Every structure is written in structure tokens, then in C-alpha cells.
Amino acid sequence: EYRRQRQMCIRDRFATKSDINNLVNLGSHCAALDFSAYYDQFPYDPAVSKYLCFKKGEKFYQQNRLCMGQRQGCDIAQTTTLFLLDFPGRRCKALAYIDNVIFVGSKEDVIHDTEIFIKRCAAANVTVNETAELNRLGIENFVSTSTEWCGISLDFTQKTVKLIEKSIKKVKLSWDNRVNWTYRQLAAHIGLLSVSYTHLRAHETDS
């Protein structure tokens, strides 16, 4: 059953580096959004939870939420995000990387799609981090001509794609063998490197 479900999930591929690099050529404006503690927003049905247990000491514990370390966790989260993005009349190019979403197009189209997407998320009880900012500014003032998305700086006016400074510092730190990494820090940096390594040469050339 798991293999069958995974085959359904992996059709919904993740945004690639080339996808992200090409975004600046697809429109003049964008809206970048991300979800709050996304994996925690997936409750397990009690009938499923009883099969997902771990032991600590002499006690057994049932998982009641989607686990970040669970093998199919990314597939489930990505497929859910793409389902939320799949609505009739969408006008923009939209990319998703698990809990990160970006719309790219004309200002009018980005406003249109972002408004519908926020409503779909609310109906599905998915919490978007930028909700308070959207309510304060209004969607028309939230969309912009530049943004930072998945550690990459995108400028839709200058048509440039660069690593953000924070990502560059993290990559340089990853090469420092004097650092005593925790497992979580090591996993985060490996993930960053996998996303950003193709941008390093461009950054060094520009600087």
C-alpha cells in the first residue's frame, strides 16, 4: 500500500534549481508564502496513529502528527501543497517546495492567485505565516518585484538570481571542520547545500 501511495506522490515533483532560476523570466511581480510548522498541521487518524509508535525506555508512544523524519513525510506535504495550488483559473506560474510557495506573473495576476490560495488554505485549516502581514498591508501591497525564496534572492526587475547572504554564510560555515555539529544542524546545512550549490559560482563571479 505504501509503494502504491508513494508512486502517486512522486508524480508531484519538487521545484528544481532550474525552475527557481527561471522564475525571474516569467513575470514582473511575485508573492512568496510559507506555512507555519507545516508537518504539525497533519494530524493522524487514531486508526493510523496506533501503527506509528516508538519506544523510549519502557514506554511506547504513538505519533499523532506527521513526523519530519518519516520517510513519506515530504511526499505527503508536497502533494498537499500542490493540491492547494491546483485551482481553476490560476493565472500565474506557481512553484512549491514543501511548505514554501511562490506565485510569479503580472501584479494583477499575482494578486488574483494569492487571494484564492489564501482562501483555500484557510478552508483546509492550513496556517500561512504571512497571514497577519497580508491582513495588515492588503494583498495589493504585499506582492513585490523582488523576494527571498528558499535561500535565494530573486529580483524580477533586474532579472537576477543570487544566494542570500545568510545562505552564503551557512555554506562557508559548512566547510569549517572545526564546528561541532548537532544532527539537526548538519541536516539543515546538507539541505542548504543541495539547494544552493549551483549558485555559488555565479555569486563568486558577481562579487
Side-chain angles (χ1 to χ4, degrees):
E1 176 63 18
Y2 166 70
R3 292 191 182 95
R4 186 181 70 82
Q5 293 294 333
R6 179 165 173 75
Q7 286 302 314
M8 294 171 62
C9 289
I10 60 178
R11 292 199 300 265
D12 298 326
R13 69 185 182 92
F14 297 87
T16 65
K17 291 178 285 294
S18 59
D19 290 333
I20 298 173
N21 288 341
N22 192 47
L23 281 174
V24 294
N25 300 315
L26 302 178
S28 59
H29 287 74
C30 66
L33 306 164
D34 67 276
F35 301 140
S36 175
Y38 196 28
Y39 284 72
D40 292 340
Q41 298 190 48
F42 289 82
Y44 283 130
D45 186 281
V48 174
S49 183
K50 66 181 181 181
Y51 294 106
L52 298 167
C53 302
F54 62 93
K55 183 180 181 182
K56 183 172 177 59
E58 296 301 316
K59 295 183 177 180
F60 285 89
Y61 298 87
Q62 288 184 195
Q63 297 177 19
N64 58 15
R65 300 277 167 170
L66 184 64
C67 179
M68 289 186 67
Q70 195 170 323
R71 183 178 180 185
Q72 66 268 40
C74 287
D75 295 331
I76 293 171
Q78 178 73 2
T79 300
T80 302
T81 302
L82 292 179
F83 171 78
L84 291 169
L85 284 170
D86 185 21
F87 52 85
R90 199 185 77 196
R91 303 174 183 176
C92 294
K93 173 65 176 180
L95 289 184
Y97 200 92
I98 306 177
D99 59 345
N100 298 278
V101 172
I102 188 168
F103 292 99
V104 176
S106 67
K107 184 174 183 178
E108 180 184 21
D109 289 348
V110 172
I111 291 171
H112 172 270
D113 287 0
T114 302
E115 185 174 16
I116 294 175
F117 181 72
I118 291 296
K119 290 178 179 178
R120 283 175 63 83
C121 289
N125 293 318
V126 173
T127 303
V128 178
N129 277 328
E130 290 78 12
T131 299
E133 186 178 0
L134 284 162
N135 291 335
R136 178 173 58 85
L137 295 176
I139 295 177
E140 65 279 0
N141 295 316
F142 177 81
V143 301
S144 64
T145 57
S146 63
T147 193
E148 294 177 355
W149 195 69
C150 291
I152 307 298
S153 175
L154 302 166
D155 190 315
F156 293 86
T157 301
Q158 300 298 322
K159 306 299 180 185
T160 57
V161 181
K162 295 182 179 181
L163 281 177
I164 63 174
E165 191 61 34
K166 181 179 179 181
S167 294
I168 295 169
K169 289 180 179 178
K170 285 184 176 180
V171 170
K172 288 179 178 178
L173 187 62
S174 299
W175 295 334
D176 189 344
N177 59 14
R178 296 168 297 178
V179 177
N180 294 319
W181 300 106
T182 65
Y183 286 119
R184 184 175 179 83
Q185 288 172 328
L186 183 61
H189 281 73
I190 290 173
L192 172 66
L193 285 169
S194 69
V195 171
S196 60
Y197 76 92
T198 55
H199 299 282
L200 291 175
R201 185 183 301 276
H203 172 79
E204 291 169 354
T205 302
D206 292 342
S207 60

